[in-house]
Amino acid sequence: MPEFSISRAANPLRGTLCVPADKSITHRALMLAPLLHGETRIENFLDSETTRATLNCMRAMGADIQEIDATALHVKGRGLYSLREPHETLWCRGSGTTIRLLAGLCAGQHFLSVLDGTPALKRRPMGRIVEPLKQMGATILARDNDRFPPLVFRGGNLRGIEYALPIASAQVKSAILLAGLFADSPTTIHEPSPSRDHTERLLRALGVPVENLSPTTVCVHPRQFKIQNSKFKIPADFSSAAFFIVAALLVKNSQARLENVGLNPGRIGLLDALTRMGAEFHIENQREENGEPLGDMVVSSVDLRATDVGGSDVPRMIDEFPIFAIAATQAQGETRVRDAQELRVKESDRIATLSSELRKMGAQIEEQEDGFVIAGPTKLRGARVNAHNDHRLAMSLAVAGLIAEGETIIEGWECVADSFPNFGGLLRAAKS
Ligand code: S3P
């Protein structure tokens, strides 16, 4: 199993860093561009294990997606009803976004489709999408009382529904929105608190009426896409930038500039939490491209103090808790995270895996049912730790290695390819 070893940063992090394209937006662009009437050039797509899974599944349903070079794709869209029955199981690898969003598309198709993935994906809960999609009229079967993959679909003839999500989840919301494109009437979704709205923004940019009835209520109107050729550029992934944001905050005398970073309001809760802890962020060149806000960010090292995170902060930084925990180990006081039970059903049980691995490095972390408490600041020490097949845990532990005494070895490093294949190289270059 590949390992990654990293030692304490001898020098500050300086200079400009370019992190890869947004994973969430790449998945959505790959699913929607084939349904347009016309040709789409997707620039700066994320080429990673999980987005390849979506690309292959869309191709298996007949989508015409050509790779122009390492960063650009050309898609020939043949319309909303152009997908066809795949000959084989749609293999989603370990990607929750692939299986849940594709479930929305498959629910709208009259043909039979089967979605499945790795053993880790087979443990991720699917009842949350199966229930609303069944309410819309799709026939769906899933393992263990319709709760886990594989998912088997015979869709079509959907009706619009009004649905209140039990948890704030962009994946569930997006699955219903995508199914809503194929329904006979509008679909309205209520969320307990706002989550990332990339699907809504992309649909709007493509001319599909999506209304925000309130900050937590969205309504999609089924509509054929208009005929158009479009060009679409994907911003850098805020969740990938987050590792370097925290690294620059923690390694003394650092100043890093991160360019073209996506700043979707549903993604940047980490900035709010770190600001409460004393960090300052300078955002330059703020703009909007294809309906998504982005900008260049300058981050400098600082002494942090503890904060509390809970409630509506949680969905806005749902992928950043592993790296946030590293920051918390260096903050003065007790940092408490609550209302974050969802962390237990991510790529790993992030509350348990973060606690066990950070303890090996000397952190004082107490696991709670819905979060954790970290007492800081602590001097971390290098250790042999395990990524638990979780890309965000792996990269967070590597950032911890930058400030730990001695060498940190991360086992199971190959999972970083899920979202950030060249992370190790970029981190080593930034510290040298
Ligand atoms: C995602 C939504 C989040 C996030 C995941 C990507 C998306 O999941 O954790 O990495 O692209 O919509 P949930 O919707 O389950 O919170």
Side-chain angles (χ1 to χ4, degrees), residues 2-6 394 398 408-413 423-425 427-428:
E3 296 178 347
F4 181 76
S5 83
I6 187 115
T408 299
I409 298 168
I410 301 151
E411 297 171 345
W413 183 252
F423 176 79
L427 189 71
R428 284 202 175 117

Side-chain angles (χ1 to χ4, degrees), residues 23-25 27-28 97 100-101 124 128 168-172 174 196 198 318-319 342 346-347 350 392:
K23 177 160 90 67
S24 291
I25 302 177
H27 284 295
R28 286 152 171 85
T97 310
R100 294 202 179 106
L101 269 60
R124 308 277 299 271
R128 53 183 66 190
S169 163
Q171 290 182 352
V172 180
S174 299
R196 65 190 73 186
H198 300 304
I318 191 66
D319 290 336
E342 272 298 295
K346 292 294 175 189
E347 282 82 336
R350 284 188 177 151
R392 301 205 194 281

Side-chain angles (χ1 to χ4, degrees), residues 271-327:
L271 296 186
D272 298 341
L274 292 172
T275 301
R276 291 199 299 276
M277 295 169 88
E280 280 181 30
F281 302 100
H282 297 283
I283 299 179
E284 299 165 3
N285 202 9
Q286 278 200 54
R287 58 207 189 272
E288 203 167 290
E289 281 175 15
N290 308 110
E292 287 284 349
L294 68 158
D296 305 332
M297 194 186 297
V298 180
V299 195
S300 308
S301 56
V302 74
D303 288 333
L304 297 173
R305 51 182 182 271
T307 190
D308 288 347
V309 176
S312 59
D313 284 345
V314 172
R316 295 182 57 245
M317 56 183 283
I318 191 66
D319 290 336
E320 278 63 71
F321 284 99
I323 190 63
F324 175 70
I326 309 303

